[in-house]
Amino acid sequence: MCKRLAGMLLAAVMLISFKTAYGEEYPVDVSGMKAAVLCSLDGQGIIEYNSAERLEVGGLGRLPLLLAVCDKIDGGGLALTDKVAVSREAARAPGSTAFLEAYENAEVSMLLKAAVVICAGDAIYALSEAAYGSMEACAMAAAEKLNGMGIQAESGEIASGSVRLSADDLVRIGGKLSESECFSLYSGIFYDAIQHEDGRTTELASSNRLIKSCVGTNGVATGSSAGAGYCGVFSAKRGGGVFICAVIGAENSSERAAKAKAMLEYAFAAYDIRTVAKQGERIAAVEVKNGTASVAELTAREGAVCLLPKNAELQSDKDIPDMLEAPVSKDDVLGSVTYSLDGAQIARVELVSPVDIPRAGIVNYAGRILCEWLHA
């Protein structure tokens, strides 16, 4: 529906020279890092800097498993109220922890909260087993999901947490997680706690500083590793716009948060999510020859919502016949309108009639003559 703003957006994100499309200095210096920002509306990237290089990204390597778990919960295969018996393997899982003990019973909602808020390795492991029967099966589902998104990953690497991901990969995974209903229940939490069945309490403190410092932030996760430094993927929503940002290679958590916030603020300041056509919106009217109606209303077959630079002025070009010959079917594409910016096509909307217009018969013509005579 909306195509990439190819040349224009490529110019807009020439971060090697740290310039925007309009010549002003780009506000964030991400040299030495890997960074990406995309709009979750259509997966369109607006910032890409060394974003294809894959590295082991610490706790963020557990996000594919969490995505597969959320898919299962959202699809009704696992209920938030279900009870899970934590296995010994889950209790020993590496990484940040919810301090689960082997054989304790925990509600899915409790485990999911820990998984989302602190990316707890033990909680994600327990959920993976509950959702798919085993860690290996969950890893296979996660690999299939990633491969379907164009991210090449092996199930064995996902299961072990050694999967290598790029900034491009992380923003796409983060975008899918931000769309998950169950993930969104807990993704905006900065501090909370869970209660174990034996009465213990585990505090959950998110390391995502943007939840408190950047308006609209609702996830996703942070991590770190010796090879990739401090990493994070962040989601922020304001109005109808959602942007996902990934940073790899920050020197510390403060730099990670500062760079991510600056890139998200830039995205919201520089771009708009604009509806250029609504489904069913009347675009034009065309005369119909030999039909039961003399005029066909042409409406948008589908809506079109696009990511555009602020204050951009779109041009529209209608391709509509001068006259239609009955019969006209509401399933027929009768014309189109193309929206472009600086000569580049942004969207093309097909036009249809909202109703069938049969060919007129003798009775129809007689009725028209009678009406004209009565109103003469």
Side-chain angles (χ1 to χ4, degrees):
M1 186 166 58
C2 293
K3 296 189 176 180
R4 279 188 177 274
L5 309 187
M8 181 194 68
L9 285 183
L10 182 61
V13 296
M14 286 295 289
L15 301 188
I16 293 176
S17 58
F18 304 111
K19 298 282 186 178
T20 69
Y22 306 103
E24 63 267 28
E25 290 294 324
Y26 183 75
V28 186
D29 181 355
V30 290
S31 55
M33 300 182 193
K34 290 80 182 167
V37 176
L38 65 74
C39 172
S40 69
L41 169 72
D42 56 3
Q44 183 172 294
I46 61 172
I47 293 177
E48 296 169 346
Y49 186 72
N50 293 332
S51 58
E53 183 179 350
R54 288 192 165 100
L55 297 166
E56 289 190 22
V57 287
L60 298 183
R62 293 189 286 273
L63 291 182
L65 293 170
L66 181 55
L67 179 58
V69 167
C70 288
D71 276 354
K72 181 69 75 169
I73 295 173
D74 288 337
L78 185 66
L80 292 174
T81 54
D82 286 348
K83 290 284 188 178
V84 174
V86 178
S87 69
R88 288 184 298 174
E89 292 76 16
R92 293 198 299 256
S96 55
T97 179
F99 296 102
L100 301 177
E101 293 186 350
Y103 310 117
E104 78 166 278
N105 293 304
E107 200 169 78
V108 168
S109 60
M110 184 191 95
L111 296 173
L112 185 61
K113 181 187 290 187
V116 173
V117 176
I118 64 170
C119 208
D122 51 0
I124 292 176
Y125 200 114
L127 286 168
S128 298
E129 292 182 321
Y132 292 90
S134 69
M135 167 57 73
E136 291 72 21
C138 184
M140 290 179 65
E144 183 178 355
K145 177 78 173 181
L146 294 192
N147 291 335
M149 296 163 57
I151 301 172
Q152 297 302 312
E154 298 293 333
S155 61
E157 295 176 341
I158 293 174
S160 66
S162 63
V163 62
R164 299 168 71 88
L165 298 170
S166 68
D168 284 338
D169 298 336
L170 287 173
V171 290
R172 281 181 283 173
I173 294 170
K176 290 296 184 182
L177 282 169
S178 70
E179 295 171 1
S180 165
E181 291 184 14
C182 67
F183 182 85
S184 299
L185 292 173
Y186 308 108
S187 60
I189 295 174
F190 185 74
Y191 178 83
D192 207 330
I194 56 174
Q195 192 83 24
H196 300 265
E197 67 172 345
D198 61 2
R200 291 179 300 118
T201 298
T202 296
E203 296 180 341
L204 306 175
S206 173
S207 56
N208 183 356
R209 299 183 185 182
L210 269 64
I211 291 175
K212 297 189 73 174
S213 66
C214 184
V215 175
T217 299
N218 57 353
V220 176
T222 60
S224 63
S225 71
Y230 285 78
C231 318
V233 53
F234 308 89
S235 169
K237 179 179 181 179
R238 297 177 191 173
V242 179
F243 290 100
I244 315 295
C245 169
V247 177
I248 298 175
E251 292 186 358
N252 50 56
S253 60
S254 296
E255 183 180 49
R256 174 179 63 195
K259 299 298 185 181
K261 180 180 179 180
M263 283 190 286
L264 287 171
E265 293 292 358
Y266 166 75
F268 283 111
Y271 293 90
D272 275 328
I273 308 297
R274 190 182 307 176
T275 300
V276 296
K278 296 180 180 179
Q279 184 177 24
E281 178 183 351
R282 180 187 182 279
I283 304 295
V286 177
E287 183 179 351
V288 178
K289 182 179 179 181
N290 298 325
T292 55
S294 58
V295 175
E297 302 285 342
L298 300 191
T299 62
R301 186 176 190 176
E302 294 181 347
V305 183
C306 300
L307 174 70
L308 296 170
K310 292 277 190 183
N311 303 317
E313 295 185 4
L314 287 179
Q315 294 79 47
S316 62
D317 181 27
K318 295 179 181 177
D319 181 11
I320 299 171
D322 294 330
M323 180 179 290
L324 295 169
E325 177 77 26
V328 174
S329 171
K330 65 180 180 181
D331 296 324
D332 292 340
V333 176
L334 306 174
S336 65
V337 55
T338 300
Y339 300 91
S340 59
L341 179 64
D342 297 333
Q345 180 175 314
I346 305 303
R348 181 177 177 274
V349 177
E350 294 180 337
L351 304 179
V352 298
S353 171
V355 296
D356 292 325
I357 302 178
R359 188 175 182 83
I362 295 176
V363 174
N364 300 108
Y365 286 118
R368 288 184 188 176
I369 292 172
L370 179 61
C371 287
E372 291 175 1
W373 181 76
L374 291 174
H375 289 88

mmCIF file of all heavy atoms in Angstrom, residues 240-270:
data_model
loop_
_atom_site.group_PDB
_atom_site.id
_atom_site.type_symbol
_atom_site.label_atom_id
_atom_site.label_comp_id
_atom_site.label_asym_id
_atom_site.label_seq_id
_atom_site.Cartn_x
_atom_site.Cartn_y
_atom_site.Cartn_z
ATOM 1 N N GLY A 240 -0.964 8.297 16.785
ATOM 2 C CA GLY A 240 -1.066 7.116 15.938
ATOM 3 C C GLY A 240 0.258 6.564 15.493
ATOM 4 O O GLY A 240 0.304 5.604 14.721
ATOM 5 N N GLY A 241 1.346 7.158 15.956
ATOM 6 C CA GLY A 241 2.662 6.727 15.509
ATOM 7 C C GLY A 241 3.393 5.870 16.519
ATOM 8 O O GLY A 241 3.380 6.169 17.718
ATOM 9 N N VAL A 242 4.013 4.784 16.048
ATOM 10 C CA VAL A 242 4.840 3.925 16.889
ATOM 11 C C VAL A 242 6.189 3.748 16.205
ATOM 12 O O VAL A 242 6.261 3.327 15.053
ATOM 13 C CB VAL A 242 4.202 2.540 17.114
ATOM 14 C CG1 VAL A 242 5.113 1.679 17.987
ATOM 15 C CG2 VAL A 242 2.822 2.673 17.751
ATOM 16 N N PHE A 243 7.246 4.100 16.902
ATOM 17 C CA PHE A 243 8.592 3.917 16.382
ATOM 18 C C PHE A 243 9.353 2.942 17.270
ATOM 19 O O PHE A 243 9.207 2.953 18.492
ATOM 20 C CB PHE A 243 9.343 5.252 16.312
ATOM 21 C CG PHE A 243 8.825 6.185 15.257
ATOM 22 C CD1 PHE A 243 7.974 7.231 15.581
ATOM 23 C CD2 PHE A 243 9.183 6.021 13.924
ATOM 24 C CE1 PHE A 243 7.480 8.088 14.614
ATOM 25 C CE2 PHE A 243 8.699 6.872 12.943
ATOM 26 C CZ PHE A 243 7.849 7.912 13.286
ATOM 27 N N ILE A 244 10.156 2.098 16.633
ATOM 28 C CA ILE A 244 10.985 1.128 17.330
ATOM 29 C C ILE A 244 12.437 1.491 17.065
ATOM 30 O O ILE A 244 12.833 1.716 15.922
ATOM 31 C CB ILE A 244 10.730 -0.308 16.834
ATOM 32 C CG1 ILE A 244 9.229 -0.581 16.708
ATOM 33 C CG2 ILE A 244 11.406 -1.307 17.760
ATOM 34 C CD1 ILE A 244 8.460 -0.554 17.988
ATOM 35 N N CYS A 245 13.232 1.529 18.131
ATOM 36 C CA CYS A 245 14.638 1.923 18.027
ATOM 37 C C CYS A 245 15.513 0.831 18.624
ATOM 38 O O CYS A 245 15.178 0.255 19.657
ATOM 39 C CB CYS A 245 14.858 3.247 18.762
ATOM 40 S SG CYS A 245 16.590 3.691 18.984
ATOM 41 N N ALA A 246 16.636 0.540 17.975
ATOM 42 C CA ALA A 246 17.602 -0.422 18.507
ATOM 43 C C ALA A 246 18.984 0.211 18.542
ATOM 44 O O ALA A 246 19.375 0.929 17.619
ATOM 45 C CB ALA A 246 17.629 -1.687 17.664
ATOM 46 N N VAL A 247 19.696 -0.056 19.609
ATOM 47 C CA VAL A 247 21.067 0.433 19.780
ATOM 48 C C VAL A 247 21.945 -0.745 20.189
ATOM 49 O O VAL A 247 21.590 -1.504 21.093
ATOM 50 C CB VAL A 247 21.148 1.529 20.873
ATOM 51 C CG1 VAL A 247 22.589 1.962 21.089
ATOM 52 C CG2 VAL A 247 20.290 2.720 20.503
ATOM 53 N N ILE A 248 23.080 -0.905 19.530
ATOM 54 C CA ILE A 248 24.067 -1.917 19.892
ATOM 55 C C ILE A 248 25.425 -1.232 19.975
ATOM 56 O O ILE A 248 25.780 -0.462 19.088
ATOM 57 C CB ILE A 248 24.131 -3.052 18.844
ATOM 58 C CG1 ILE A 248 22.789 -3.779 18.744
ATOM 59 C CG2 ILE A 248 25.248 -4.040 19.171
ATOM 60 C CD1 ILE A 248 22.743 -4.831 17.642
ATOM 61 N N GLY A 249 26.165 -1.507 21.050
ATOM 62 C CA GLY A 249 27.522 -0.994 21.128
ATOM 63 C C GLY A 249 27.720 0.258 21.952
ATOM 64 O O GLY A 249 28.768 0.900 21.853
ATOM 65 N N ALA A 250 26.745 0.602 22.799
ATOM 66 C CA ALA A 250 26.946 1.747 23.693
ATOM 67 C C ALA A 250 27.984 1.388 24.759
ATOM 68 O O ALA A 250 28.158 0.223 25.114
ATOM 69 C CB ALA A 250 25.628 2.140 24.350
ATOM 70 N N GLU A 251 28.670 2.399 25.278
ATOM 71 C CA GLU A 251 29.725 2.144 26.263
ATOM 72 C C GLU A 251 29.168 1.844 27.646
ATOM 73 O O GLU A 251 29.814 1.165 28.449
ATOM 74 C CB GLU A 251 30.676 3.338 26.323
ATOM 75 C CG GLU A 251 31.505 3.516 25.056
ATOM 76 C CD GLU A 251 32.539 4.611 25.198
ATOM 77 O OE1 GLU A 251 32.584 5.248 26.276
ATOM 78 O OE2 GLU A 251 33.290 4.836 24.233
ATOM 79 N N ASN A 252 27.970 2.354 27.932
ATOM 80 C CA ASN A 252 27.364 2.125 29.243
ATOM 81 C C ASN A 252 25.852 2.295 29.123
ATOM 82 O O ASN A 252 25.339 2.693 28.066
ATOM 83 C CB ASN A 252 27.950 3.071 30.305
ATOM 84 C CG ASN A 252 27.934 4.522 29.847
ATOM 85 O OD1 ASN A 252 26.876 5.053 29.497
ATOM 86 N ND2 ASN A 252 29.095 5.154 29.831
ATOM 87 N N SER A 253 25.142 2.023 30.201
ATOM 88 C CA SER A 253 23.685 2.093 30.153
ATOM 89 C C SER A 253 23.179 3.517 29.952
ATOM 90 O O SER A 253 22.137 3.730 29.329
ATOM 91 C CB SER A 253 23.085 1.493 31.433
ATOM 92 O OG SER A 253 23.530 2.200 32.586
ATOM 93 N N SER A 254 23.910 4.486 30.469
ATOM 94 C CA SER A 254 23.494 5.878 30.301
ATOM 95 C C SER A 254 23.576 6.304 28.841
ATOM 96 O O SER A 254 22.670 6.971 28.319
ATOM 97 C CB SER A 254 24.366 6.794 31.159
ATOM 98 O OG SER A 254 24.177 6.522 32.534
ATOM 99 N N GLU A 255 24.678 5.920 28.175
ATOM 100 C CA GLU A 255 24.806 6.264 26.762
ATOM 101 C C GLU A 255 23.753 5.542 25.935
ATOM 102 O O GLU A 255 23.180 6.112 25.009
ATOM 103 C CB GLU A 255 26.199 5.913 26.253
ATOM 104 C CG GLU A 255 26.407 6.318 24.789
ATOM 105 C CD GLU A 255 27.785 5.982 24.269
ATOM 106 O OE1 GLU A 255 28.233 4.832 24.470
ATOM 107 O OE2 GLU A 255 28.416 6.852 23.643
ATOM 108 N N ARG A 256 23.495 4.301 26.268
ATOM 109 C CA ARG A 256 22.457 3.537 25.564
ATOM 110 C C ARG A 256 21.116 4.255 25.633
ATOM 111 O O ARG A 256 20.439 4.442 24.612
ATOM 112 C CB ARG A 256 22.335 2.152 26.189
ATOM 113 C CG ARG A 256 21.198 1.298 25.650
ATOM 114 C CD ARG A 256 21.181 -0.067 26.331
ATOM 115 N NE ARG A 256 20.935 0.033 27.769
ATOM 116 C CZ ARG A 256 21.141 -0.943 28.637
ATOM 117 N NH1 ARG A 256 21.619 -2.096 28.230
ATOM 118 N NH2 ARG A 256 20.884 -0.775 29.925
ATOM 119 N N ALA A 257 20.728 4.687 26.820
ATOM 120 C CA ALA A 257 19.445 5.362 26.993
ATOM 121 C C ALA A 257 19.432 6.709 26.288
ATOM 122 O O ALA A 257 18.443 7.076 25.638
ATOM 123 C CB ALA A 257 19.147 5.540 28.478
ATOM 124 N N ALA A 258 20.528 7.449 26.373
ATOM 125 C CA ALA A 258 20.582 8.782 25.780
ATOM 126 C C ALA A 258 20.481 8.721 24.264
ATOM 127 O O ALA A 258 19.750 9.509 23.646
ATOM 128 C CB ALA A 258 21.866 9.482 26.203
ATOM 129 N N LYS A 259 21.211 7.799 23.632
ATOM 130 C CA LYS A 259 21.183 7.697 22.182
ATOM 131 C C LYS A 259 19.817 7.229 21.696
ATOM 132 O O LYS A 259 19.276 7.741 20.712
ATOM 133 C CB LYS A 259 22.264 6.725 21.698
ATOM 134 C CG LYS A 259 23.684 7.128 22.058
ATOM 135 C CD LYS A 259 24.093 8.445 21.436
ATOM 136 C CE LYS A 259 25.561 8.752 21.721
ATOM 137 N NZ LYS A 259 25.994 10.052 21.156
ATOM 138 N N ALA A 260 19.250 6.241 22.380
ATOM 139 C CA ALA A 260 17.937 5.732 21.977
ATOM 140 C C ALA A 260 16.867 6.814 22.104
ATOM 141 O O ALA A 260 16.043 6.996 21.204
ATOM 142 C CB ALA A 260 17.564 4.524 22.829
ATOM 143 N N LYS A 261 16.894 7.541 23.207
ATOM 144 C CA LYS A 261 15.899 8.603 23.393
ATOM 145 C C LYS A 261 16.044 9.673 22.320
ATOM 146 O O LYS A 261 15.043 10.130 21.744
ATOM 147 C CB LYS A 261 16.048 9.227 24.779
ATOM 148 C CG LYS A 261 15.042 10.353 25.030
ATOM 149 C CD LYS A 261 15.202 10.959 26.420
ATOM 150 C CE LYS A 261 14.198 12.095 26.615
ATOM 151 N NZ LYS A 261 14.317 12.719 27.954
ATOM 152 N N ALA A 262 17.274 10.064 22.011
ATOM 153 C CA ALA A 262 17.497 11.104 21.015
ATOM 154 C C ALA A 262 16.999 10.665 19.641
ATOM 155 O O ALA A 262 16.401 11.456 18.896
ATOM 156 C CB ALA A 262 18.975 11.462 20.958
ATOM 157 N N MET A 263 17.213 9.400 19.294
ATOM 158 C CA MET A 263 16.748 8.917 17.996
ATOM 159 C C MET A 263 15.230 8.844 17.924
ATOM 160 O O MET A 263 14.624 9.189 16.905
ATOM 161 C CB MET A 263 17.370 7.553 17.694
ATOM 162 C CG MET A 263 18.820 7.645 17.256
ATOM 163 S SD MET A 263 19.469 6.078 16.613
ATOM 164 C CE MET A 263 19.638 5.159 18.136
ATOM 165 N N LEU A 264 14.595 8.414 19.011
ATOM 166 C CA LEU A 264 13.137 8.384 19.023
ATOM 167 C C LEU A 264 12.547 9.793 18.962
ATOM 168 O O LEU A 264 11.570 10.038 18.245
ATOM 169 C CB LEU A 264 12.638 7.648 20.270
ATOM 170 C CG LEU A 264 12.818 6.135 20.270
ATOM 171 C CD1 LEU A 264 12.489 5.553 21.640
ATOM 172 C CD2 LEU A 264 11.953 5.473 19.192
ATOM 173 N N GLU A 265 13.135 10.727 19.705
ATOM 174 C CA GLU A 265 12.642 12.107 19.666
ATOM 175 C C GLU A 265 12.788 12.681 18.260
ATOM 176 O O GLU A 265 11.919 13.408 17.775
ATOM 177 C CB GLU A 265 13.410 12.965 20.673
ATOM 178 C CG GLU A 265 13.161 12.608 22.134
ATOM 179 C CD GLU A 265 11.752 12.911 22.613
ATOM 180 O OE1 GLU A 265 10.933 13.444 21.837
ATOM 181 O OE2 GLU A 265 11.447 12.607 23.787
ATOM 182 N N TYR A 266 13.899 12.343 17.602
ATOM 183 C CA TYR A 266 14.099 12.807 16.227
ATOM 184 C C TYR A 266 13.010 12.246 15.317
ATOM 185 O O TYR A 266 12.430 12.966 14.491
ATOM 186 C CB TYR A 266 15.471 12.386 15.713
ATOM 187 C CG TYR A 266 15.609 12.531 14.211
ATOM 188 C CD1 TYR A 266 15.761 13.784 13.621
ATOM 189 C CD2 TYR A 266 15.563 11.411 13.385
ATOM 190 C CE1 TYR A 266 15.868 13.918 12.244
ATOM 191 C CE2 TYR A 266 15.666 11.541 12.011
ATOM 192 C CZ TYR A 266 15.824 12.791 11.442
ATOM 193 O OH TYR A 266 15.917 12.911 10.080
ATOM 194 N N ALA A 267 12.709 10.952 15.455
ATOM 195 C CA ALA A 267 11.704 10.325 14.604
ATOM 196 C C ALA A 267 10.345 10.995 14.765
ATOM 197 O O ALA A 267 9.662 11.303 13.778
ATOM 198 C CB ALA A 267 11.604 8.831 14.924
ATOM 199 N N PHE A 268 9.931 11.236 16.015
ATOM 200 C CA PHE A 268 8.637 11.875 16.239
ATOM 201 C C PHE A 268 8.626 13.327 15.768
ATOM 202 O O PHE A 268 7.595 13.833 15.325
ATOM 203 C CB PHE A 268 8.265 11.798 17.722
ATOM 204 C CG PHE A 268 7.760 10.457 18.160
ATOM 205 C CD1 PHE A 268 8.510 9.648 19.006
ATOM 206 C CD2 PHE A 268 6.528 9.987 17.726
ATOM 207 C CE1 PHE A 268 8.046 8.409 19.413
ATOM 208 C CE2 PHE A 268 6.053 8.741 18.126
ATOM 209 C CZ PHE A 268 6.824 7.950 18.971
ATOM 210 N N ALA A 269 9.763 14.008 15.866
ATOM 211 C CA ALA A 269 9.830 15.405 15.457
ATOM 212 C C ALA A 269 9.881 15.567 13.945
ATOM 213 O O ALA A 269 9.383 16.551 13.396
ATOM 214 C CB ALA A 269 11.056 16.077 16.088
ATOM 215 N N ALA A 270 10.468 14.597 13.250
ATOM 216 C CA ALA A 270 10.725 14.751 11.825
ATOM 217 C C ALA A 270 9.676 14.096 10.931
ATOM 218 O O ALA A 270 9.597 14.422 9.740
ATOM 219 C CB ALA A 270 12.107 14.187 11.483
#
